[in-house]
Structures are given as C-alpha cells and as structure tokens.
Amino acid sequence: MQNIVIFGASGHGSVVLDCLEREGKYNVVGFVDSFKKEGRKQNGYEILGREYDLPFLMERHNLYGGIIAVGDNWTRNLLVKKILSIAPSFNFISAVHPSAVIGKNVDIGMGTAVMPGAIINANSIVGDFCIINTNSSLGHDGTMENYSSIASGVCTGGGFTLGEFSAISVGARIIENITIMDHTLVGAGALVVKDIESHVVAYGSPARIIRKRSVGEHYLSGNKSEQTRTEFPLIPNNF
C-alpha cells in the first residue's frame, strides 16, 4: 500500500485515521502537526513533524500523499495553500469509511472525508476538501461545493446545494430543493425551509438569519490551534 500522512493530530484526525485504517487502501505512517510535539504518539502513530518538514518527510517515508484532518473549512483551505507552497506536487487523497453508503453516480472530490454512517444519495456531487460527518446524509442530486461541511446527524433533502466554505452544524434539518450560499453557517438543530444567502449565520426552527458573517470567521469550539495556524506565514523566512 502507498504511504500517506494525516495533517492534524486532533480528535477529528483520529476519526479520519479510523476511516483510513478500515478502508485499507493506504498505509498511514504518522501525523503532521505544527502544534504538537514531534515524536508524541496519537492513536499509536507518531507525530512526524511540521508542515515545513514535508519535503524531508516525503523523501524519508516515500509518501504518496496525505489528507487534511482539520474541521474548520477556512483553516483547511489555508492549510492546503500552505502545503502546496511547500510541496507543489503533493497529492491529496480522500477517505470514505466502509460503513458509509454511497449511491449511484456519486462524485467525491479530492481531500474529502466521509465519516462512519454517512449517506450520500444518488447523483450527488461532493467537491474537494469537504467533510460529511458521522450519520449525516446528503439527499439525491445534492451538491456540496469545495471546502463545505455538514456535521454529525445532519439530514438534507434532495436537490440541496451547499456553497463554498459553508457549514451545517450538528443535527440540522434541511428540506428539499434548498440552496445555501457561500461562507454561511447554519446553527445546530436548525430547520431550514427556505434558501439562505451568503455570508450569514442562521439558526432556529424555522431557521432565520441572525447576523452577517465574515470570511474566515471560526465556528468550531476548541479550535484554538487551528486559529493559531492561520496566523503563520505560508513560508518561513528561513525555509
């Protein structure tokens, strides 16, 4: 099997690791994480170094590629750019847990993670670097644009479209033929019964727009390290 690494030694990284182990397509050699000590173990796998060590790691471990295990959509995008600035030829893989149900004529982009129990129904398109979390479902003829995500327990009706960098929080429900535009956040437990514009936060039952939302605004609790990651330049002065 081809050797790969996981970027992000977090709880989300542990779930991605489980997907990869159960899928059995790649050999995970370890984690890459700039905010945890090199040599430390996560789920029995060593933290091999930082993103800036990638050229060395690619040669040392004969890496085929890797996957980014970062929950925040915007931060995931920044990390992709950072990695490609360091290693332009780096190959991003996807992970699909064997318990996930993938319908007919489904297209899943690179760098995307499909978690345990997720359902992607027929004729759906999932873009690059998306997350479809545990026990969530994307209805038939659905579309998730690049860097979008649906959290655990989300249920979407057929013909749903989720814009770039938008996120649907835990347990939300979305009726059929709804479009949610770019950079929008739908809160936990919301019931969405009409289209939602871009750059807003919406929640409630039925969901209502509460306020505007800025590009890159963080929305996950406990993601201090992910927020700090975005403050670093793409390439250090001494690289």
Side-chain angles (χ1 to χ4, degrees):
M1 292 189 290
Q2 295 161 313
N3 292 340
I4 64 164
V5 291
I6 298 172
F7 295 91
S10 61
H12 183 64
S14 298
V15 181
V16 171
L17 170 64
D18 181 55
C19 292
L20 291 166
E21 286 184 330
R22 292 175 183 270
E23 199 175 7
K25 291 172 59 177
Y26 302 102
N27 177 48
V28 179
V29 299
F31 289 92
V32 176
D33 196 306
S34 290
F35 301 95
K36 294 188 178 177
K37 186 176 180 181
E38 183 177 343
R40 175 181 166 181
K41 294 289 183 72
Q42 175 81 5
N43 294 107
Y45 290 82
E46 186 177 347
I47 297 174
L48 303 172
R50 311 174 305 160
E51 291 89 3
Y52 298 129
D53 299 320
L54 192 52
F56 166 73
L57 296 175
M58 290 173 69
E59 182 175 354
R60 180 178 182 182
H61 297 284
N62 189 29
L63 293 182
Y64 170 75
I67 187 169
I68 296 178
V70 172
D72 183 88
N73 294 336
W74 185 253
T75 305
R76 198 160 59 254
N77 155 66
L78 294 178
L79 187 52
V80 168
K81 291 179 178 178
K82 182 178 181 182
I83 290 167
L84 292 178
S85 73
I86 296 167
S89 63
F90 193 79
N91 181 43
F92 293 100
I93 64 147
S94 293
V96 179
H97 194 278
S99 67
V101 178
I102 311 299
K104 187 174 183 178
N105 296 328
V106 167
D107 186 15
I108 298 175
M110 68 177 176
T112 287
V114 182
M115 302 304 194
I119 300 172
I120 307 175
N121 279 302
N123 305 317
S124 292
I125 299 172
V126 181
D128 297 336
F129 304 103
C130 294
I131 299 172
I132 300 178
N133 229 311
T134 306
N135 291 332
S136 60
S137 65
L138 179 64
H140 66 83
D141 300 284
T143 299
M144 291 179 62
E145 302 288 353
N146 298 340
Y147 296 101
S148 63
S149 61
I150 58 177
S152 299
V154 169
C155 181
T156 73
F160 171 61
T161 298
L162 183 62
E164 283 193 324
F165 299 102
S166 288
I168 311 299
S169 300
V170 173
R173 297 290 185 267
I174 300 166
I175 69 167
E176 67 278 1
N177 299 318
I178 292 293
T179 295
I180 295 173
M181 301 297 288
D182 302 344
H183 296 280
T184 282
L185 173 64
V186 173
L191 174 62
V192 181
V193 297
K194 62 181 181 180
D195 294 350
I196 301 178
E197 64 190 75
S198 64
H199 300 87
V200 297
V201 174
Y203 56 83
S205 180
R208 295 177 294 117
I209 295 173
I210 305 302
R211 62 174 175 86
K212 292 291 186 181
R213 180 171 184 265
S214 59
V215 172
E217 181 180 332
H218 295 281
Y219 56 91
L220 297 176
S221 61
N223 66 345
K224 269 189 176 179
S225 63
E226 292 187 1
Q227 293 179 29
T228 305
R229 186 191 300 272
T230 68
E231 297 169 5
F232 282 81
L234 294 182
I235 302 178
N237 293 333
N238 60 352
F239 181 76

